[in-house]
Amino acid sequence: MGTVGKAISLLELFTVAEPELGLTELARRAGFDKATTRRLLLALTDNGFVEQDAATRHYRLGAGLSRLARIREARFPFLQTAVPLVRDLAGATAETVHLSEFGTDRLVTVHVEHPAWANRVNIDIGQLLPLHSTASGIAYLAFARGETVKACLAGPLDAFTAHTLVEPAAISRSIGEARDRGYSICDQGLEEGVISVAAAILAADGFAIGTIAVAAPKARTTTADIAQRGLAVMAAAREISMRLNGDNLQTLRRQA
Amino acid sequence: MGTVGKAISLLELFTVAEPELGLTELARRAGFDKATTRRLLLALTDNGFVEQDAATRHYRLGAGLSRLARIREARFPFLQTAVPLVRDLAGATAETVHLSEFGTDRLVTVHVEHPAWANRVNIDIGQLLPLHSTASGIAYLAFARGETVKACLAGPLDAFTAHTLVEPAAISRSIGEARDRGYSICDQGLEEGVISVAAAILAADGFAIGTIAVAAPKARTTTADIAQRGLAVMAAAREISMRLNGDNLQTLRRQA
DNA sequence: AATAACGGTTCAAATAATGAACCATCATCC
DNA sequence: GGATGATGGTTCATTATTTGAACCGTTATT
């Protein structure tokens, strides 16, 4: 890994659950030497990607990231466009709704709306979702480029629960069903007791760029709920895709 | 500059106005060799900080930045807290309202609301504001750490217009007035024909972390408008500070 | 007073970054 | 249609940066 990759991997250690970390802890988790870690942190701090708390000397993500993220968002208003519809869907379903965007090789959770229930599915912003074992992942793969699907099925397919599909053939079938149906269903693929439905958000070229999903405790979810949420999530995804791509509906059919 | 700094300086080349750039252009602007630039871009792409358009081969900021920015925002909900109040203020004043956050050595514009007027002050997200020649900068300095003020007055003080204050003594006086008044006024300090008022948003330690400002064409701005906007911007800044710091009002008085 | 844990620093050795020259492709232009 | 120039991308010997074991200073714990 080059120096730049190392610096970025330090940034990746910060999460919603642990937004502040000390030097030793960062070095330990990243597997770098303390001196190296510190030098990288200094470089990141100089550029506003990391800030250091004056009192605790702990590090946290910096304001420079917000700036760049806003510039990206200005060109490609994924969040701005999608969040209102995520909110609507959360209101309508009274369950957890989350939005994800594809980055490098996984789906990244970029927004979440939680219902008021005490018993709910909890998801953190920034959480990374595996493609083969989540409703979002399957929905994404249903409209992804062939090479992406191939790479996913070839890669390691962890079984997170006893229900996780790990056979390439089974996953492939699940992807096909999702494509035909218009939305995916994932029954406890990542965690016991959670059932989710998701639909893909498409770019102008007809390929998926992200997903919107509803996740709920299985205990209170009926077959009718699933069907209803499936239609709702599909409608929301379609609306987001349309708003993102102007009104050129026709291009929304995938061509390759 | 280390490799990490170089990589980040590539990211800094993207703006709202030019969100996509080619390899040669990036190399030229950054002052790096083409090979170096490409290697850095590859490292950034691998980590989702940069994406390459498949058709044009141009580069743009990537989704990984959104992810990290959201993690930061979850810990320190500056935008989430402030944006509604920026919106309210924009509605009330019918002029451009912008929010900025301090990063490294300058203020960074993180949100803007524009009025419906054709003749309005236009500000882009991500724009960097000099401290000595903007209402936001003066408002920030009025509640910044002594060392920050010192560093600013010692640094180069560019005159952007004939009205820009460049004498350290004059700027210092302007800062003092802003502190006493509760808001700053900047009359054409950065651009001819623009007059702005701003107030500082404070952290729990009583020092400024950002600003909120109203900018308008001078032609339609009266002295009464200024006073009225000053009070409004001050109220908004105070409200944002309070919401950010819980209700511990008392800590809002600076101590050092 | 001893210990341990942490943030931070040093400098010779190891490693990664560099850039001039290169190739391939595409559009433009006598 | 072939010369021209602009672009993205690649190579590899040279060069400069990164690395990490050992170090120091501070703080909290025992």
Side-chain angles (χ1 to χ4, degrees):
Chain A
M1 196 189 333
T3 316
V4 175
K6 287 184 190 171
I8 296 180
S9 77
L10 277 183
L11 295 175
E12 307 284 2
L13 295 175
F14 296 95
T15 61
V16 172
E18 294 183 301
E20 295 203 321
L21 296 165
L23 172 61
T24 307
E25 190 63 20
L26 283 164
R28 202 180 55 72
R29 296 201 191 181
F32 305 149
D33 186 87
K34 209 152 45 97
T36 302
T37 306
R38 175 145 162 76
R39 206 167 26 74
L40 293 172
L41 285 170
L42 269 187
L44 291 167
T45 307
D46 285 346
N47 292 282
F49 275 34
V50 158
E51 293 169 355
Q52 186 174 30
D53 189 293
T56 66
R57 314 240 97 187
H58 282 200
Y59 298 88
R60 59 164 174 264
L61 296 175
L65 292 165
S66 302
R67 181 175 109 81
L68 294 176
R70 301 285 298 191
I71 290 175
R72 172 181 159 80
E73 181 72 11
R75 199 202 84 87
F76 189 68
F78 186 60
L79 274 172
Q80 213 173 295
T81 307
V83 168
L85 288 153
V86 172
R87 218 161 263 162
D88 290 351
L89 188 56
T93 58
E95 291 293 356
T96 300
V97 178
H98 57 116
L99 183 75
S100 39
E101 189 172 0
F102 187 73
T104 320
D105 63 341
R106 272 178 301 195
L107 285 168
V108 173
T109 305
V110 292
H111 189 79
V112 184
E113 293 283 337
H114 288 119
W117 305 91
N119 173 25
R120 68 190 190 188
V121 177
N122 231 66
I123 293 174
D124 280 342
I125 282 175
Q127 195 168 105
L128 298 168
L129 306 172
L131 291 176
H132 72 287
S133 58
T134 61
S136 292
I138 297 298
Y140 180 83
L141 290 174
F143 291 90
R145 290 187 162 72
E147 59 206 78
T148 310
V149 180
K150 209 170 191 175
C152 170
L153 295 179
L157 301 166
D158 297 333
F160 298 99
T161 73
H163 305 84
T164 309
L165 298 180
V166 291
E167 296 297 320
I171 296 169
S172 207
R173 196 173 331 116
S174 177
I175 294 171
E177 287 166 12
R179 184 158 41 225
D180 295 342
R181 201 193 287 123
Y183 61 93
S184 65
I185 301 171
C186 184
D187 187 354
Q188 311 177 79
L190 187 61
E191 199 176 309
E192 294 281 353
V194 173
I195 189 158
S196 304
V197 299
I201 295 164
L202 309 180
D205 60 9
F207 289 108
I209 50 171
T211 63
I212 180 168
V214 180
K218 192 169 185 188
R220 63 163 172 258
T221 304
T222 66
T223 314
D225 288 335
I226 293 294
Q228 190 187 320
R229 281 173 206 161
L231 294 177
V233 89
M234 197 165 65
R238 175 177 290 270
E239 181 62 29
I240 295 167
S241 303
M242 274 178 50
R243 292 196 192 170
L244 275 176
N245 301 306
D247 292 324
N248 29 349
L249 255 306
Q250 70 285 3
T251 62
L252 285 177
R253 285 301 339 132
R254 51 201 307 260
Q255 31 231 17
Chain B
M1 197 190 330
T3 315
V4 176
K6 288 184 189 172
I8 296 180
S9 76
L10 277 183
L11 296 175
E12 307 284 1
L13 295 175
F14 296 95
T15 61
V16 172
E18 294 183 300
E20 294 203 322
L21 296 165
L23 172 62
T24 306
E25 191 62 20
L26 283 164
R28 203 180 54 70
R29 296 200 191 182
F32 304 150
D33 187 87
K34 209 153 45 97
T36 301
T37 306
R38 174 145 164 75
R39 206 166 24 74
L40 293 173
L41 285 170
L42 270 187
L44 291 167
T45 307
D46 285 344
N47 292 282
F49 275 35
V50 158
E51 293 168 356
Q52 186 174 28
D53 188 294
T56 67
R57 316 241 92 187
H58 282 200
Y59 298 88
R60 60 165 173 263
L61 296 176
L65 292 165
S66 301
R67 181 175 108 81
L68 293 177
R70 301 284 300 190
I71 291 175
R72 171 180 159 79
E73 181 71 10
R75 200 204 84 89
F76 188 67
F78 186 60
L79 274 172
Q80 213 172 297
T81 307
V83 168
L85 288 152
V86 173
R87 218 161 263 162
D88 290 351
L89 188 57
T93 57
E95 292 292 357
T96 301
V97 178
H98 58 115
L99 183 76
S100 39
E101 189 172 1
F102 187 73
T104 319
D105 62 342
R106 271 177 301 196
L107 284 167
V108 172
T109 304
V110 291
H111 189 79
V112 184
E113 293 283 337
H114 288 118
W117 305 91
N119 174 25
R120 66 189 193 190
V121 177
N122 232 65
I123 293 174
D124 280 343
I125 282 175
Q127 195 167 104
L128 298 168
L129 306 172
L131 291 177
H132 73 286
S133 58
T134 61
S136 293
I138 297 298
Y140 180 82
L141 290 173
F143 292 90
R145 289 187 163 73
E147 59 205 81
T148 309
V149 181
K150 209 170 191 175
C152 170
L153 294 180
L157 300 166
D158 297 333
F160 298 99
T161 73
H163 305 85
T164 309
L165 299 181
V166 291
E167 296 297 321
I171 296 169
S172 206
R173 196 173 331 115
S174 177
I175 294 170
E177 287 167 11
R179 183 158 41 225
D180 296 342
R181 199 193 289 122
Y183 61 93
S184 65
I185 302 171
C186 184
D187 187 354
Q188 311 177 80
L190 187 61
E191 198 175 309
E192 295 281 351
V194 173
I195 188 157
S196 304
V197 300
I201 294 163
L202 309 179
D205 60 8
F207 289 108
I209 50 171
T211 63
I212 179 168
V214 180
K218 192 170 185 187
R220 64 162 171 258
T221 303
T222 66
T223 314
D225 287 335
I226 294 293
Q228 189 187 319
R229 281 174 206 162
L231 294 177
V233 91
M234 198 164 64
R238 176 176 290 270
E239 182 63 28
I240 295 168
S241 304
M242 274 178 50
R243 291 197 193 170
L244 274 176
N245 301 305
D247 293 324
N248 29 349
L249 255 305
Q250 71 285 2
T251 62
L252 284 177
R253 284 304 333 135
R254 51 201 307 258
Q255 30 232 17

